[in-house]
Amino acid sequence: MMNGQDDDSELLSVSEFSQEDELSSSHGDRDSSFEHEENNKKKKKKSKEHEIGSKETKSVFRAKLMVYLVLIVSCVTASTLAYFFTRDQEEDDYRNDFKVYADEVKRVAKDVIQTKIDVGESLSIQITSYANDNGFLFPFVTLPDFERVSANLRHMANTDFISFISLVPREKKAEFENYTTLYNNEWVQEGLEVQGLGDVDPGPIPSFIVDLVQMFGVARPDPNALENLYFAPTWQTGPAPFNASTLLSDVFVNPQLLPSIERILSEGTVQITPIFKIVIPNTAAGVELERPFEVPHSAMTNGIYDTLEGNGDLVGFVIPVNGIYDTLEGNGNLVGFVYTSVPWNDFFNGILSEGTGDIEVVVSENCGEAGDSKMTFVLDGEESYLKAFEDAHDPKFDSRRESTVLTNEEFEAGEDGRCRYELEIYPTNKLKNTYDSNEPLIYSIVVAMIFVFTTMVFLVYDWAVQRRQWMIIRAARKTQAIVSSLFPKNVQDRILKDVDDEVQREANKPLVTRGNRTKDQLQNFLKGKDGVAAAEEEAQMPTPGARSSKPIADLFPEATIIFADIVGFTAWSSTREPTQVFQLLETIYHVFDEIANRRRVFKVETVGDCYVAVAGLPEPRKDHAIVMARFARDCLIQFTSTVKAMVVELGPDTEELGVRIGLHSGPVTAGVLRGERARFQLFGDTVNTTARMESTGSPNKIHVSQETADLLTAAGKSQWLRTRRETVVAKGKGELQTYWLESTGEANTVTTSGESDTEDSKEENQNGIKPAAVVAPAPAVPSADKYNRLVAWNCDILAKLLTQIVARRESRRTVPDPVGEIRKLEEQYCSNRYVLSEVQEIVRLPKFEAESQRVDPWSVQLSEDVLSQLKDYVQTLAAMYRDNPFHNFEHASHVTMSVMKLLSRIVAPDVTNAPTDTDEALHDHTYGITSDPMTQFAVALSALIHDVDHPGVPNSQLIKEETSLAAVYRNKSIAEQNSVDLAWDLLMDDAYGDLRNTIYVTKTEFLRFRQLVVNIVLATDIMDKDLGALRKGRWNKAFSEQSTGNTEDDVNRKATIVMEHLIQAS
């Protein structure tokens, strides 16, 4: 049966087969109903295999479909909203900006019209005032300096033409013609001279008024019509005409002016004419144009009256037409007109700012019977131009129309012949296109991509989860099939129930036993796992009693602790910058950490310059004492080599630092001290005893307690130990017998990362010392090594300052002086053997220049020749020092280091003490020292050379012994002058030409460098009375009540005091 049936039949139980046989024997054969029942049973058995998780699978599948649908709908919705929101934002920006532009055009256009009206009224008043003041009667008035007056008014009104038109009664025609003949063309010639055209001959003014009205028959039949009673000859114009024959033409021939003039007579108001075109012929100004150029104009007329009080008579006019009256008070008699032109071509220039998009302005003129005219102008930023003599705006922008009335706003268009000017403002395609971008599409695509990416992540995650689920379900189905094939139904239920009960018991069972729970917590905490989070979470509890779990702590009965303290660190750090202190600690602790990782030693903490570590926890080990001994030896070796290597960066005395190490073994309580900042801590007598071992030890030695020594002896390592001769009296312990851990043999061994302590124990030789894997010998340091390190450190300091000098010089683009002139100066100062005479009360520093900071000193690379010469120079200086206490090369290096530290405090002061953080304020705050790298270099070099060839005895002893040096330097500052001369002469040697060319390239730089070196080195002689008096006098001047402290001398005097005190304090 197992081999002859398919999978479904294999799963049938024995009872089912028995039942099937009985039915077969009773009925003889299977009928269709039995076959149907059997098929149903097979389907039930097969479906039973797949019912595991099928319901949940369907629910998850439906949920996934829902998530996919939501993601798709959200993607489409968000993309669409992003598109329309961004597009609407652009549309709002376009509408708002156009509204701003249109409002600006309307406002400025009204202001321009008003300015033209005011200009006409101003000229009208000047003419009337001039006539009244001089007793002239109209129309016999000629305004002096008309060209200058009109030029100023034309500029104010931005107009190209302004004229004075007299109103001449017909009975005074002959008298006026005699008047104009008498004046002839004097004012015309004067106007041309003002224009710079004095060599132009305008010709004579006509001797009669041209009666164009009667000539052309344009007079109205009414005998009282204005043109039948008066002539309106053009008398004065600005600018003055090239041809005087154009004057005295009767303007009444122009029917556009008559309504305006009549309204001035009746209303006394300024009038504006309809638009007319001035045609510039195609040969104008000698330039051939393709066609004549038509320029649209309007005219404004102001009345001129013959008196300033009462009602005067009309005597002339100007366009806009302003009347000229014979009085300035009340309504005078109209005696003329001021005619002011309105050139529309320039009307809209400068209204909008540069970069503003195009807009179109349609100017509509409605003058009743005079007709209607329209012009379209395009405003492109500050420029404008005429587009057409019609309304040529794009109709699709009608909905954006903005309009305003320029003139006669109180009248209807064309009412009573009045000209009403209106502006209609529209956007253009160019303006609209500046606000149409691809941003809406880009934003919608970005949003869609975000959703697509989210969907892809979800698909990948779903694939991984589904794969895991299918594996679990497949295993469950196999188990179900096996159980179903082996056990009957009731047995299957019991088995599955027992499994469920077991799973439930496991779920309720603690994950770890009480006995090892704290050790696991400790290991998790130290490995950065859940222990930290748990400790910090419990630290938020309000009171200790509120904690939900016991403290994470345990007793480790076997462990070895190390304390390693840096000897001389406090004194060393007091002369270093904070960055240098931390650089040393970080480097040393990093080396110790690497050794700890290799040796499987656990680092507990660092307290200041003390390093604490432990072996034997959190994972207990029997060889903890051996491991810690090897760790201590490795740390001692690496510490020595590390501090030697850092001398160049951190300065002299760094290699003299030592490390004092103490070891002790015993039980330790370790745990997580919970609180605001959870920390792993060690407690117990073992910790205190280890601290005593360290504090009572010696530099560069490993001090071991009796307990640790016993463990090493028991492990066969007694040859590592040497008994300390004297006993140690420890606080709370009394006298203790201790040991030194030998630093030879295995002390030269440093394990690599691939080695383990187990391998170490197997590879020990007959003496118990592991063969060296990486040899790091620590021979005794010869004096030559220290000498070379000091030279390298001094060279590094001076080279950095030289790069700053070069950077400042490149920033200021300093032009070098001829080499020959500098060499003459060098020879001059080399021949001077009395340096003391060069000491000055004030050393002048350069003023602040912002451009001197343009070049970054880090980008400057000194040449190999300069660096080689600098090193050779420093080496030679070092060789010139005598081996005297306090006057040797090492002492000079210490002075240099101290000076550089003090100088750094000046150059980079605490920001709370500085007035501001600007370069200029820092320059003033430090008296200019911070801005001059030459000064800083001179201070450092002076510290290095100040004791060159010092004999080791004071100047007074040299004078008493009547030495040759005392005679040379006249018994004054003998050692100091000698040091300057020797160091200076050495620097002037031909071998150091490139070095000198780096220090100074101009005579000014050379003299300042020399002065700085002399003043600073001579400041070290604090016993000389004359120098002391000079310094005292300088101090009194600098800080006296009479000193303002703001003059250049005051600032430089204080800078000199600071520089000298730098080396004196060092």
Side-chain angles (χ1 to χ4, degrees), residues 600-611:
R600 290 192 298 162
V601 171
F602 178 73
K603 172 186 176 182
V604 179
E605 62 180 342
T606 58
V607 182
D609 59 332
C610 184
Y611 188 92

Side-chain angles (χ1 to χ4, degrees), residues 823 826 869 986-1001:
R823 292 296 173 262
E826 292 175 349
Q869 292 177 19
L986 178 64
L987 182 61
M988 296 300 112
D989 191 272
D990 293 340
Y992 305 113
D994 294 330
L995 177 59
R996 294 198 304 275
N997 292 336
T998 306
I999 300 173
Y1000 51 82
V1001 296

Side-chain angles (χ1 to χ4, degrees), residues 340-413:
T340 307
S341 68
V342 182
W344 289 103
N345 263 25
D346 300 330
F347 187 85
F348 298 101
N349 286 346
I351 291 182
L352 298 181
S353 59
E354 184 67 29
T356 305
D358 285 6
I359 62 173
E360 290 181 343
V361 179
V362 178
V363 180
S364 301
E365 163 251 293
N366 300 291
C367 297
E369 295 179 358
D372 298 338
S373 298
K374 291 188 176 183
M375 300 176 294
T376 303
F377 292 89
V378 177
L379 277 64
D380 183 6
E382 294 183 348
E383 303 295 328
S384 65
Y385 62 89
L386 176 66
K387 181 178 180 181
F389 283 101
E390 60 182 357
D391 186 351
H393 81 278
D394 193 335
K396 72 178 181 180
F397 295 112
D398 286 347
S399 61
R400 298 279 177 260
R401 175 180 178 270
E402 295 282 337
S403 63
T404 187
V405 178
L406 286 182
T407 60
N408 292 322
E409 188 173 357
E410 66 277 13
F411 297 100
E412 293 295 331

Side-chain angles (χ1 to χ4, degrees), residues 938-1001:
V939 171
L941 182 63
S942 299
L944 183 62
I945 69 173
H946 79 281
D947 271 345
V948 166
D949 194 39
H950 197 289
V953 296
N955 290 330
S956 59
Q957 185 64 31
L958 295 175
I959 296 172
K960 184 182 298 183
E961 295 176 0
E962 297 182 353
T963 62
S964 58
L965 281 179
V968 170
Y969 296 112
R970 306 174 192 176
N971 296 330
K972 303 284 288 184
S973 303
I974 302 167
E976 291 76 17
Q977 293 191 74
N978 182 52
S979 298
V980 172
D981 275 342
L982 291 176
W984 191 265
D985 289 346
L986 178 64
L987 182 61
M988 296 300 112
D989 191 272
D990 293 340
Y992 305 113
D994 294 330
L995 177 59
R996 294 198 304 275
N997 292 336
T998 306
I999 300 173
Y1000 51 82
V1001 296

Side-chain angles (χ1 to χ4, degrees), residues 788-806:
N788 290 331
R789 287 194 296 269
L790 291 176
V791 169
W793 180 81
N794 281 288
C795 288
D796 184 64
I797 293 295
L798 295 176
K800 289 178 181 177
L801 294 173
L802 282 176
T803 59
Q804 296 178 29
I805 292 175
V806 174

